[in-house]
PDB file of all heavy atoms in Angstrom:
ATOM      1  N   VAL A  87       9.352  11.490  -9.045  1.00  0.00           N
ATOM      2  CA  VAL A  87       9.374  12.589  -8.077  1.00  0.00           C
ATOM      3  C   VAL A  87       9.102  13.950  -8.786  1.00  0.00           C
ATOM      4  O   VAL A  87       8.359  14.781  -8.336  1.00  0.00           O
ATOM      5  CB  VAL A  87      10.675  12.651  -7.282  1.00  0.00           C
ATOM      6  CG1 VAL A  87      10.845  14.003  -6.589  1.00  0.00           C
ATOM      7  CG2 VAL A  87      10.685  11.503  -6.241  1.00  0.00           C
ATOM      8  N   ILE A  91       6.127  16.857  -8.196  1.00  0.00           N
ATOM      9  CA  ILE A  91       6.431  18.278  -7.951  1.00  0.00           C
ATOM     10  C   ILE A  91       5.768  19.127  -9.023  1.00  0.00           C
ATOM     11  O   ILE A  91       5.121  20.120  -8.714  1.00  0.00           O
ATOM     12  CB  ILE A  91       7.948  18.471  -7.950  1.00  0.00           C
ATOM     13  CG1 ILE A  91       8.579  17.764  -6.731  1.00  0.00           C
ATOM     14  CG2 ILE A  91       8.269  19.954  -7.911  1.00  0.00           C
ATOM     15  CD1 ILE A  91      10.103  17.728  -6.759  1.00  0.00           C
ATOM     16  N   PHE A 100       6.057   6.215   0.475  1.00  0.00           N
ATOM     17  CA  PHE A 100       7.004   5.287  -0.026  1.00  0.00           C
ATOM     18  C   PHE A 100       6.813   3.918   0.690  1.00  0.00           C
ATOM     19  O   PHE A 100       6.670   3.863   1.893  1.00  0.00           O
ATOM     20  CB  PHE A 100       8.457   5.757   0.249  1.00  0.00           C
ATOM     21  CG  PHE A 100       8.846   6.940  -0.550  1.00  0.00           C
ATOM     22  CD1 PHE A 100       8.593   8.217  -0.152  1.00  0.00           C
ATOM     23  CD2 PHE A 100       9.493   6.763  -1.816  1.00  0.00           C
ATOM     24  CE1 PHE A 100       8.948   9.325  -0.873  1.00  0.00           C
ATOM     25  CE2 PHE A 100       9.867   7.863  -2.566  1.00  0.00           C
ATOM     26  CZ  PHE A 100       9.612   9.135  -2.116  1.00  0.00           C
ATOM     27  N   PRO A 104      12.808   6.078   1.514  1.00  0.00           N
ATOM     28  CA  PRO A 104      13.468   6.882   0.503  1.00  0.00           C
ATOM     29  C   PRO A 104      14.826   7.360   0.956  1.00  0.00           C
ATOM     30  O   PRO A 104      15.092   7.417   2.186  1.00  0.00           O
ATOM     31  CB  PRO A 104      12.513   8.055   0.269  1.00  0.00           C
ATOM     32  CG  PRO A 104      11.842   8.235   1.591  1.00  0.00           C
ATOM     33  CD  PRO A 104      11.702   6.811   2.161  1.00  0.00           C
ATOM     34  N   SER A 105      15.667   7.734   0.042  1.00  0.00           N
ATOM     35  CA  SER A 105      16.957   8.271   0.433  1.00  0.00           C
ATOM     36  C   SER A 105      16.804   9.657   1.033  1.00  0.00           C
ATOM     37  O   SER A 105      15.798  10.349   0.821  1.00  0.00           O
ATOM     38  CB  SER A 105      17.905   8.385  -0.776  1.00  0.00           C
ATOM     39  OG  SER A 105      17.388   9.305  -1.707  1.00  0.00           O
ATOM     40  N   ARG A 106      17.814  10.104   1.730  1.00  0.00           N
ATOM     41  CA  ARG A 106      17.799  11.465   2.315  1.00  0.00           C
ATOM     42  C   ARG A 106      17.657  12.500   1.225  1.00  0.00           C
ATOM     43  O   ARG A 106      16.943  13.498   1.359  1.00  0.00           O
ATOM     44  CB  ARG A 106      19.101  11.700   3.105  1.00  0.00           C
ATOM     45  CG  ARG A 106      19.098  12.969   3.916  1.00  0.00           C
ATOM     46  CD  ARG A 106      20.496  13.328   4.373  1.00  0.00           C
ATOM     47  NE  ARG A 106      21.116  12.262   5.138  1.00  0.00           N
ATOM     48  CZ  ARG A 106      21.128  12.206   6.477  1.00  0.00           C
ATOM     49  NH1 ARG A 106      20.534  13.174   7.154  1.00  0.00           N
ATOM     50  NH2 ARG A 106      21.717  11.225   7.089  1.00  0.00           N
ATOM     51  N   ASP A 107      18.311  12.229   0.087  1.00  0.00           N
ATOM     52  CA  ASP A 107      18.288  13.217  -1.030  1.00  0.00           C
ATOM     53  C   ASP A 107      16.854  13.344  -1.598  1.00  0.00           C
ATOM     54  O   ASP A 107      16.405  14.457  -1.916  1.00  0.00           O
ATOM     55  CB  ASP A 107      19.249  12.808  -2.123  1.00  0.00           C
ATOM     56  CG  ASP A 107      20.699  12.996  -1.741  1.00  0.00           C
ATOM     57  OD1 ASP A 107      20.958  13.686  -0.748  1.00  0.00           O
ATOM     58  OD2 ASP A 107      21.573  12.404  -2.422  1.00  0.00           O
ATOM     59  N   LEU A 108      16.148  12.224  -1.750  1.00  0.00           N
ATOM     60  CA  LEU A 108      14.791  12.267  -2.260  1.00  0.00           C
ATOM     61  C   LEU A 108      13.872  13.027  -1.301  1.00  0.00           C
ATOM     62  O   LEU A 108      13.028  13.815  -1.702  1.00  0.00           O
ATOM     63  CB  LEU A 108      14.241  10.864  -2.465  1.00  0.00           C
ATOM     64  CG  LEU A 108      14.509  10.193  -3.822  1.00  0.00           C
ATOM     65  CD1 LEU A 108      13.815   8.838  -3.890  1.00  0.00           C
ATOM     66  CD2 LEU A 108      14.075  11.072  -4.990  1.00  0.00           C
ATOM     67  N   ILE A 109      14.058  12.773   0.005  1.00  0.00           N
ATOM     68  CA  ILE A 109      13.235  13.451   0.996  1.00  0.00           C
ATOM     69  C   ILE A 109      13.452  14.981   0.910  1.00  0.00           C
ATOM     70  O   ILE A 109      12.514  15.748   0.894  1.00  0.00           O
ATOM     71  CB  ILE A 109      13.554  12.943   2.431  1.00  0.00           C
ATOM     72  CG1 ILE A 109      13.066  11.469   2.581  1.00  0.00           C
ATOM     73  CG2 ILE A 109      12.878  13.791   3.474  1.00  0.00           C
ATOM     74  CD1 ILE A 109      13.433  10.847   3.892  1.00  0.00           C
ATOM     75  N   VAL A 110      14.712  15.384   0.859  1.00  0.00           N
ATOM     76  CA  VAL A 110      15.061  16.791   0.763  1.00  0.00           C
ATOM     77  C   VAL A 110      14.471  17.430  -0.473  1.00  0.00           C
ATOM     78  O   VAL A 110      13.886  18.525  -0.445  1.00  0.00           O
ATOM     79  CB  VAL A 110      16.580  17.006   0.813  1.00  0.00           C
ATOM     80  CG1 VAL A 110      16.926  18.448   0.501  1.00  0.00           C
ATOM     81  CG2 VAL A 110      17.122  16.623   2.232  1.00  0.00           C
ATOM     82  N   ARG A 111      14.611  16.739  -1.623  1.00  0.00           N
ATOM     83  CA  ARG A 111      14.083  17.292  -2.881  1.00  0.00           C
ATOM     84  C   ARG A 111      12.580  17.498  -2.803  1.00  0.00           C
ATOM     85  O   ARG A 111      12.077  18.532  -3.240  1.00  0.00           O
ATOM     86  CB  ARG A 111      14.435  16.299  -4.020  1.00  0.00           C
ATOM     87  CG  ARG A 111      14.014  16.805  -5.402  1.00  0.00           C
ATOM     88  CD  ARG A 111      14.383  15.849  -6.465  1.00  0.00           C
ATOM     89  NE  ARG A 111      13.861  16.222  -7.750  1.00  0.00           N
ATOM     90  CZ  ARG A 111      13.830  15.417  -8.828  1.00  0.00           C
ATOM     91  NH1 ARG A 111      14.329  14.221  -8.787  1.00  0.00           N
ATOM     92  NH2 ARG A 111      13.313  15.846  -9.951  1.00  0.00           N
ATOM     93  N   LEU A 112      11.858  16.533  -2.243  1.00  0.00           N
ATOM     94  CA  LEU A 112      10.423  16.654  -2.137  1.00  0.00           C
ATOM     95  C   LEU A 112      10.015  17.747  -1.181  1.00  0.00           C
ATOM     96  O   LEU A 112       9.145  18.583  -1.485  1.00  0.00           O
ATOM     97  CB  LEU A 112       9.807  15.318  -1.710  1.00  0.00           C
ATOM     98  CG  LEU A 112       9.750  14.249  -2.799  1.00  0.00           C
ATOM     99  CD1 LEU A 112       9.620  12.844  -2.162  1.00  0.00           C
ATOM    100  CD2 LEU A 112       8.629  14.510  -3.775  1.00  0.00           C
ATOM    101  N   LYS A 113      10.630  17.766  -0.030  1.00  0.00           N
ATOM    102  CA  LYS A 113      10.293  18.760   0.985  1.00  0.00           C
ATOM    103  C   LYS A 113      10.618  20.191   0.527  1.00  0.00           C
ATOM    104  O   LYS A 113       9.847  21.098   0.773  1.00  0.00           O
ATOM    105  CB  LYS A 113      11.033  18.474   2.280  1.00  0.00           C
ATOM    106  CG  LYS A 113      10.438  17.281   3.065  1.00  0.00           C
ATOM    107  CD  LYS A 113      11.298  16.942   4.284  1.00  0.00           C
ATOM    108  CE  LYS A 113      11.343  18.035   5.290  1.00  0.00           C
ATOM    109  NZ  LYS A 113      10.043  18.174   5.990  1.00  0.00           N
ATOM    110  N   ASP A 114      11.704  20.344  -0.193  1.00  0.00           N
ATOM    111  CA  ASP A 114      12.057  21.679  -0.717  1.00  0.00           C
ATOM    112  C   ASP A 114      10.959  22.159  -1.728  1.00  0.00           C
ATOM    113  O   ASP A 114      10.796  23.373  -1.902  1.00  0.00           O
ATOM    114  CB  ASP A 114      13.403  21.623  -1.450  1.00  0.00           C
ATOM    115  CG  ASP A 114      14.585  21.598  -0.452  1.00  0.00           C
ATOM    116  OD1 ASP A 114      14.340  21.828   0.747  1.00  0.00           O
ATOM    117  OD2 ASP A 114      15.718  21.344  -0.920  1.00  0.00           O
ATOM    118  N   ALA A 115      10.272  21.241  -2.343  1.00  0.00           N
ATOM    119  CA  ALA A 115       9.216  21.588  -3.310  1.00  0.00           C
ATOM    120  C   ALA A 115       7.860  21.678  -2.642  1.00  0.00           C
ATOM    121  O   ALA A 115       6.850  21.887  -3.294  1.00  0.00           O
ATOM    122  CB  ALA A 115       9.177  20.553  -4.448  1.00  0.00           C
ATOM    123  N   GLY A 116       7.792  21.485  -1.317  1.00  0.00           N
ATOM    124  CA  GLY A 116       6.542  21.599  -0.598  1.00  0.00           C
ATOM    125  C   GLY A 116       5.698  20.334  -0.545  1.00  0.00           C
ATOM    126  O   GLY A 116       4.530  20.390  -0.166  1.00  0.00           O
ATOM    127  N   VAL A 117       6.275  19.194  -0.915  1.00  0.00           N
ATOM    128  CA  VAL A 117       5.575  17.939  -0.905  1.00  0.00           C
ATOM    129  C   VAL A 117       5.802  17.263   0.474  1.00  0.00           C
ATOM    130  O   VAL A 117       6.949  17.172   0.968  1.00  0.00           O
ATOM    131  CB  VAL A 117       6.073  16.963  -2.007  1.00  0.00           C
ATOM    132  CG1 VAL A 117       5.281  15.683  -1.993  1.00  0.00           C
ATOM    133  CG2 VAL A 117       5.944  17.634  -3.373  1.00  0.00           C
ATOM    134  N   VAL A 119       6.285  14.230   2.891  1.00  0.00           N
ATOM    135  CA  VAL A 119       6.888  12.894   2.723  1.00  0.00           C
ATOM    136  C   VAL A 119       6.448  11.997   3.874  1.00  0.00           C
ATOM    137  O   VAL A 119       6.675  12.252   5.039  1.00  0.00           O
ATOM    138  CB  VAL A 119       8.405  13.006   2.676  1.00  0.00           C
ATOM    139  CG1 VAL A 119       9.029  11.622   2.504  1.00  0.00           C
ATOM    140  CG2 VAL A 119       8.847  13.956   1.578  1.00  0.00           C
ATOM    141  N   VAL A 132      14.131   7.446   8.993  1.00  0.00           N
ATOM    142  CA  VAL A 132      13.467   8.383   8.073  1.00  0.00           C
ATOM    143  C   VAL A 132      13.107   9.684   8.820  1.00  0.00           C
ATOM    144  O   VAL A 132      13.087  10.748   8.236  1.00  0.00           O
ATOM    145  CB  VAL A 132      12.295   7.765   7.344  1.00  0.00           C
ATOM    146  CG1 VAL A 132      12.777   6.610   6.435  1.00  0.00           C
ATOM    147  CG2 VAL A 132      11.210   7.295   8.316  1.00  0.00           C
ATOM    148  N   ALA A 134      14.874  11.031  11.214  1.00  0.00           N
ATOM    149  CA  ALA A 134      16.111  11.802  11.269  1.00  0.00           C
ATOM    150  C   ALA A 134      16.469  12.438   9.944  1.00  0.00           C
ATOM    151  O   ALA A 134      17.134  13.492   9.903  1.00  0.00           O
ATOM    152  CB  ALA A 134      17.278  10.869  11.733  1.00  0.00           C
ATOM    153  N   TRP A 135      16.015  11.837   8.856  1.00  0.00           N
ATOM    154  CA  TRP A 135      16.283  12.382   7.513  1.00  0.00           C
ATOM    155  C   TRP A 135      15.310  13.476   7.090  1.00  0.00           C
ATOM    156  O   TRP A 135      15.446  14.060   6.043  1.00  0.00           O
ATOM    157  CB  TRP A 135      16.276  11.260   6.460  1.00  0.00           C
ATOM    158  CG  TRP A 135      17.459  10.358   6.564  1.00  0.00           C
ATOM    159  CD1 TRP A 135      18.541  10.530   7.324  1.00  0.00           C
ATOM    160  CD2 TRP A 135      17.655   9.185   5.772  1.00  0.00           C
ATOM    161  NE1 TRP A 135      19.445   9.505   7.089  1.00  0.00           N
ATOM    162  CE2 TRP A 135      18.932   8.665   6.146  1.00  0.00           C
ATOM    163  CE3 TRP A 135      16.920   8.530   4.807  1.00  0.00           C
ATOM    164  CZ2 TRP A 135      19.446   7.481   5.607  1.00  0.00           C
ATOM    165  CZ3 TRP A 135      17.435   7.325   4.262  1.00  0.00           C
ATOM    166  CH2 TRP A 135      18.686   6.852   4.617  1.00  0.00           C
ATOM    167  N   GLY A 136      14.239  13.703   7.913  1.00  0.00           N
ATOM    168  CA  GLY A 136      13.352  14.781   7.613  1.00  0.00           C
ATOM    169  C   GLY A 136      11.957  14.406   7.155  1.00  0.00           C
ATOM    170  O   GLY A 136      11.173  15.281   6.757  1.00  0.00           O
ATOM    171  N   ALA A 137      11.599  13.116   7.258  1.00  0.00           N
ATOM    172  CA  ALA A 137      10.236  12.720   6.877  1.00  0.00           C
ATOM    173  C   ALA A 137       9.225  13.491   7.724  1.00  0.00           C
ATOM    174  O   ALA A 137       9.488  13.757   8.899  1.00  0.00           O
ATOM    175  CB  ALA A 137      10.061  11.222   7.064  1.00  0.00           C
ATOM    176  N   ASP A 138       8.104  13.840   7.122  1.00  0.00           N
ATOM    177  CA  ASP A 138       7.060  14.634   7.830  1.00  0.00           C
ATOM    178  C   ASP A 138       6.169  13.779   8.743  1.00  0.00           C
ATOM    179  O   ASP A 138       5.626  14.271   9.751  1.00  0.00           O
ATOM    180  CB  ASP A 138       6.193  15.343   6.833  1.00  0.00           C
ATOM    181  CG  ASP A 138       6.946  16.326   5.986  1.00  0.00           C
ATOM    182  OD1 ASP A 138       7.379  17.381   6.550  1.00  0.00           O
ATOM    183  OD2 ASP A 138       7.212  16.095   4.802  1.00  0.00           O
TER     184      ASP A 138
END
Side-chain angles (χ1 to χ4, degrees):
V87 164
I91 294 171
F100 292 87
S105 67
R106 189 194 303 263
D107 289 344
L108 273 184
I109 292 176
V110 169
R111 183 180 173 192
L112 286 160
K113 286 174 64 70
D114 284 349
V117 182
V119 180
V132 296
W135 287 354
D138 297 289

